[in-house]
PDB file of all heavy atoms in Angstrom:
ATOM      1  N   GLN A  58     144.523 129.178 108.580  1.00  0.00           N
ATOM      2  CA  GLN A  58     144.824 130.604 108.143  1.00  0.00           C
ATOM      3  C   GLN A  58     143.740 131.183 107.095  1.00  0.00           C
ATOM      4  O   GLN A  58     142.970 130.313 106.574  1.00  0.00           O
ATOM      5  CB  GLN A  58     146.213 130.587 107.530  1.00  0.00           C
ATOM      6  CG  GLN A  58     147.267 130.188 108.437  1.00  0.00           C
ATOM      7  CD  GLN A  58     148.665 130.639 107.927  1.00  0.00           C
ATOM      8  OE1 GLN A  58     148.983 131.836 107.642  1.00  0.00           O
ATOM      9  NE2 GLN A  58     149.559 129.667 107.735  1.00  0.00           N
ATOM     10  N   ALA A  59     143.640 132.458 107.063  1.00  0.00           N
ATOM     11  CA  ALA A  59     142.665 133.020 106.126  1.00  0.00           C
ATOM     12  C   ALA A  59     143.307 133.751 105.019  1.00  0.00           C
ATOM     13  O   ALA A  59     144.392 134.363 105.151  1.00  0.00           O
ATOM     14  CB  ALA A  59     141.790 133.955 106.987  1.00  0.00           C
ATOM     15  N   THR A  60     142.696 133.829 103.864  1.00  0.00           N
ATOM     16  CA  THR A  60     143.199 134.679 102.715  1.00  0.00           C
ATOM     17  C   THR A  60     143.028 136.079 103.010  1.00  0.00           C
ATOM     18  O   THR A  60     142.089 136.541 103.707  1.00  0.00           O
ATOM     19  CB  THR A  60     142.356 134.269 101.457  1.00  0.00           C
ATOM     20  OG1 THR A  60     140.907 134.412 101.606  1.00  0.00           O
ATOM     21  CG2 THR A  60     142.603 132.818 101.066  1.00  0.00           C
ATOM     22  N   ASP A  61     143.995 136.887 102.331  1.00  0.00           N
ATOM     23  CA  ASP A  61     143.986 138.283 102.784  1.00  0.00           C
ATOM     24  C   ASP A  61     142.993 139.013 101.843  1.00  0.00           C
ATOM     25  O   ASP A  61     142.164 138.482 101.106  1.00  0.00           O
ATOM     26  CB  ASP A  61     145.306 138.894 102.542  1.00  0.00           C
ATOM     27  CG  ASP A  61     145.987 138.597 101.068  1.00  0.00           C
ATOM     28  OD1 ASP A  61     145.092 138.352 100.141  1.00  0.00           O
ATOM     29  OD2 ASP A  61     147.131 138.657 100.905  1.00  0.00           O
ATOM     30  N   GLY A  62     143.107 140.429 101.808  1.00  0.00           N
ATOM     31  CA  GLY A  62     142.146 141.129 101.009  1.00  0.00           C
ATOM     32  C   GLY A  62     142.158 140.942  99.449  1.00  0.00           C
ATOM     33  O   GLY A  62     141.382 141.229  98.693  1.00  0.00           O
ATOM     34  N   GLN A  63     143.340 140.349  98.914  1.00  0.00           N
ATOM     35  CA  GLN A  63     143.383 140.024  97.594  1.00  0.00           C
ATOM     36  C   GLN A  63     143.073 138.459  97.333  1.00  0.00           C
ATOM     37  O   GLN A  63     143.301 137.993  96.180  1.00  0.00           O
ATOM     38  CB  GLN A  63     144.870 140.214  97.100  1.00  0.00           C
ATOM     39  CG  GLN A  63     145.226 141.686  96.874  1.00  0.00           C
ATOM     40  CD  GLN A  63     145.358 142.475  98.179  1.00  0.00           C
ATOM     41  OE1 GLN A  63     146.054 141.978  99.139  1.00  0.00           O
ATOM     42  NE2 GLN A  63     144.746 143.684  98.247  1.00  0.00           N
ATOM     43  N   GLY A  64     142.494 137.950  98.355  1.00  0.00           N
ATOM     44  CA  GLY A  64     142.161 136.410  98.209  1.00  0.00           C
ATOM     45  C   GLY A  64     143.366 135.510  98.149  1.00  0.00           C
ATOM     46  O   GLY A  64     143.189 134.410  97.843  1.00  0.00           O
ATOM     47  N   GLU A  65     144.522 135.973  98.803  1.00  0.00           N
ATOM     48  CA  GLU A  65     145.680 135.170  98.631  1.00  0.00           C
ATOM     49  C   GLU A  65     146.229 134.740 100.066  1.00  0.00           C
ATOM     50  O   GLU A  65     145.876 135.330 101.146  1.00  0.00           O
ATOM     51  CB  GLU A  65     146.813 135.973  97.922  1.00  0.00           C
ATOM     52  CG  GLU A  65     146.508 136.360  96.530  1.00  0.00           C
ATOM     53  CD  GLU A  65     147.644 137.125  95.852  1.00  0.00           C
ATOM     54  OE1 GLU A  65     148.429 137.744  96.547  1.00  0.00           O
ATOM     55  OE2 GLU A  65     147.703 137.079  94.579  1.00  0.00           O
ATOM     56  N   LEU A  66     147.018 133.657  99.972  1.00  0.00           N
ATOM     57  CA  LEU A  66     147.630 133.232 101.170  1.00  0.00           C
ATOM     58  C   LEU A  66     148.863 132.529 100.872  1.00  0.00           C
ATOM     59  O   LEU A  66     149.017 131.717  99.884  1.00  0.00           O
ATOM     60  CB  LEU A  66     146.706 132.153 101.952  1.00  0.00           C
ATOM     61  CG  LEU A  66     147.247 131.377 103.140  1.00  0.00           C
ATOM     62  CD1 LEU A  66     147.471 132.374 104.285  1.00  0.00           C
ATOM     63  CD2 LEU A  66     146.442 130.238 103.507  1.00  0.00           C
ATOM     64  N   LEU A  67     149.992 132.782 101.685  1.00  0.00           N
ATOM     65  CA  LEU A  67     151.192 132.104 101.487  1.00  0.00           C
ATOM     66  C   LEU A  67     151.593 131.263 102.725  1.00  0.00           C
ATOM     67  O   LEU A  67     151.536 131.768 103.755  1.00  0.00           O
ATOM     68  CB  LEU A  67     152.299 133.191 101.218  1.00  0.00           C
ATOM     69  CG  LEU A  67     153.842 132.543 100.922  1.00  0.00           C
ATOM     70  CD1 LEU A  67     153.759 131.705  99.672  1.00  0.00           C
ATOM     71  CD2 LEU A  67     154.749 133.592 100.845  1.00  0.00           C
ATOM     72  N   GLU A  68     151.705 129.960 102.553  1.00  0.00           N
ATOM     73  CA  GLU A  68     151.902 129.031 103.638  1.00  0.00           C
ATOM     74  C   GLU A  68     152.964 127.944 103.304  1.00  0.00           C
ATOM     75  O   GLU A  68     153.065 127.657 102.232  1.00  0.00           O
ATOM     76  CB  GLU A  68     150.499 128.406 104.017  1.00  0.00           C
ATOM     77  CG  GLU A  68     150.595 127.560 105.322  1.00  0.00           C
ATOM     78  CD  GLU A  68     149.204 126.960 105.637  1.00  0.00           C
ATOM     79  OE1 GLU A  68     148.171 127.286 104.962  1.00  0.00           O
ATOM     80  OE2 GLU A  68     149.082 126.237 106.704  1.00  0.00           O
ATOM     81  N   THR A  69     153.616 127.538 104.405  1.00  0.00           N
ATOM     82  CA  THR A  69     154.590 126.386 104.250  1.00  0.00           C
ATOM     83  C   THR A  69     153.919 125.175 104.859  1.00  0.00           C
ATOM     84  O   THR A  69     153.467 125.271 105.988  1.00  0.00           O
ATOM     85  CB  THR A  69     155.899 126.804 105.100  1.00  0.00           C
ATOM     86  OG1 THR A  69     156.451 127.967 104.582  1.00  0.00           O
ATOM     87  CG2 THR A  69     156.934 125.605 105.021  1.00  0.00           C
ATOM     88  N   ILE A  70     154.071 124.101 104.141  1.00  0.00           N
ATOM     89  CA  ILE A  70     153.327 122.923 104.510  1.00  0.00           C
ATOM     90  C   ILE A  70     154.255 121.692 104.180  1.00  0.00           C
ATOM     91  O   ILE A  70     155.324 121.738 103.454  1.00  0.00           O
ATOM     92  CB  ILE A  70     151.910 122.671 103.783  1.00  0.00           C
ATOM     93  CG1 ILE A  70     152.193 122.552 102.259  1.00  0.00           C
ATOM     94  CG2 ILE A  70     151.051 123.798 104.190  1.00  0.00           C
ATOM     95  CD1 ILE A  70     150.980 122.034 101.497  1.00  0.00           C
ATOM     96  N   ASP A  71     153.860 120.551 104.691  1.00  0.00           N
ATOM     97  CA  ASP A  71     154.396 119.329 104.230  1.00  0.00           C
ATOM     98  C   ASP A  71     153.844 118.876 103.015  1.00  0.00           C
ATOM     99  O   ASP A  71     152.677 119.062 102.722  1.00  0.00           O
ATOM    100  CB  ASP A  71     154.197 118.196 105.288  1.00  0.00           C
ATOM    101  CG  ASP A  71     154.936 116.836 104.970  1.00  0.00           C
ATOM    102  OD1 ASP A  71     154.620 116.224 103.920  1.00  0.00           O
ATOM    103  OD2 ASP A  71     155.842 116.521 105.657  1.00  0.00           O
ATOM    104  N   LYS A  72     154.702 118.465 101.914  1.00  0.00           N
ATOM    105  CA  LYS A  72     154.182 118.228 100.615  1.00  0.00           C
ATOM    106  C   LYS A  72     153.083 117.208 100.596  1.00  0.00           C
ATOM    107  O   LYS A  72     152.217 117.191  99.719  1.00  0.00           O
ATOM    108  CB  LYS A  72     155.354 117.774  99.704  1.00  0.00           C
ATOM    109  CG  LYS A  72     155.012 117.658  98.234  1.00  0.00           C
ATOM    110  CD  LYS A  72     156.198 117.325  97.401  1.00  0.00           C
ATOM    111  CE  LYS A  72     155.932 117.343  95.867  1.00  0.00           C
ATOM    112  NZ  LYS A  72     154.926 116.163  95.542  1.00  0.00           N
ATOM    113  N   ARG A  73     152.946 116.333 101.647  1.00  0.00           N
ATOM    114  CA  ARG A  73     152.042 115.252 101.584  1.00  0.00           C
ATOM    115  C   ARG A  73     150.773 115.725 102.260  1.00  0.00           C
ATOM    116  O   ARG A  73     149.681 114.903 102.380  1.00  0.00           O
ATOM    117  CB  ARG A  73     152.529 114.076 102.283  1.00  0.00           C
ATOM    118  CG  ARG A  73     153.663 113.370 101.481  1.00  0.00           C
ATOM    119  CD  ARG A  73     154.542 112.495 102.512  1.00  0.00           C
ATOM    120  NE  ARG A  73     155.138 113.230 103.425  1.00  0.00           N
ATOM    121  CZ  ARG A  73     156.132 112.704 104.268  1.00  0.00           C
ATOM    122  NH1 ARG A  73     156.537 111.455 104.106  1.00  0.00           N
ATOM    123  NH2 ARG A  73     156.727 113.525 105.213  1.00  0.00           N
TER     124      ARG A  73
END
Side-chain angles (χ1 to χ4, degrees):
Q58 298 194 56
T60 54
D61 61 18
Q63 285 71 49
E65 295 181 338
L66 172 71
L67 184 63
E68 186 175 357
T69 300
I70 63 169
D71 187 294
K72 189 175 187 291
R73 294 160 295 189

